[in-house]
Amino acid sequence: MTALTVTAAQVDVVFPEMAEIYTAICAETITAGQSLFRDSNGKLQLADGNAAGEQQTRFLALQGGVAGQAISVLKQGHVYGFDLSGMAYDDPVYQSDTTGALDTAAGTVNNPVGIVDAITLDGANIVKCLYFNPRWQGDYS
């Protein structure tokens, strides 16, 4: 297992017109690029692949915030900011056992949240990008 490196300042949606982006309230301090779940109060907390009730990765933070603050989150779509250089196209990405992190391999709970996708922005160069698409029907508790 190798945790994906994320540069919070570079987290950005690639095709915002095709992404599902929402505003939600933080229950704790969150940094852009961290994986999130919705708690029993409807607020966002950091997802954790080995903690009961917290495996349900539902969102990816697009910006940081503190408890009580509203932030933008990605439900589904292409996002920059992750170092995918060691991964192949179509490799799966998983919720990590490290709180709020994504990984190259399944943690305690097999919770895939996306894939490494190939995108072309200028018609000539192909780049790797994370396609974030967690399983909304999954219950990992």
Side-chain angles (χ1 to χ4, degrees), residues 9 39 45 77 87 93 114:
D39 69 15
Q45 292 190 30
M87 300 181 73
V93 174

Side-chain angles (χ1 to χ4, degrees), residues 10-134:
Q10 294 178 353
V11 172
D12 197 14
V13 176
V14 180
F15 305 114
E17 68 281 359
M18 297 177 359
E20 288 187 62
I21 301 170
Y22 297 94
T23 301
I25 305 295
C26 299
E28 61 184 321
T29 299
I30 294 170
T31 302
Q34 289 186 304
S35 55
L36 309 167
F37 76 99
R38 193 180 301 279
D39 69 15
S40 61
N41 295 313
K43 295 181 180 179
L44 300 177
Q45 292 190 30
L46 300 175
D48 184 346
N50 63 4
E54 298 180 3
Q55 297 91 354
Q56 294 87 273
T57 303
R58 300 294 192 233
F59 301 103
L60 188 71
L62 295 176
Q63 60 188 128
V66 297
Q69 182 178 358
I71 63 169
S72 293
V73 294
L74 180 66
K75 178 180 175 184
Q76 177 180 335
H78 291 87
V79 62
Y80 281 134
F82 293 87
D83 180 0
L84 305 171
S85 60
M87 300 181 73
Y89 295 111
D90 290 333
D91 275 355
V93 174
Y94 299 90
Q95 173 58 49
S96 175
D97 281 352
T98 301
T99 304
L102 302 181
D103 208 299
T104 61
T108 302
V109 176
N110 183 6
N111 184 357
V113 299
I115 63 167
V116 178
D117 199 8
I119 62 169
T120 304
L121 296 177
D122 60 7
N125 296 304
I126 298 172
V127 295
K128 291 179 182 175
C129 183
L130 173 62
Y131 181 68
F132 184 76
N133 187 22

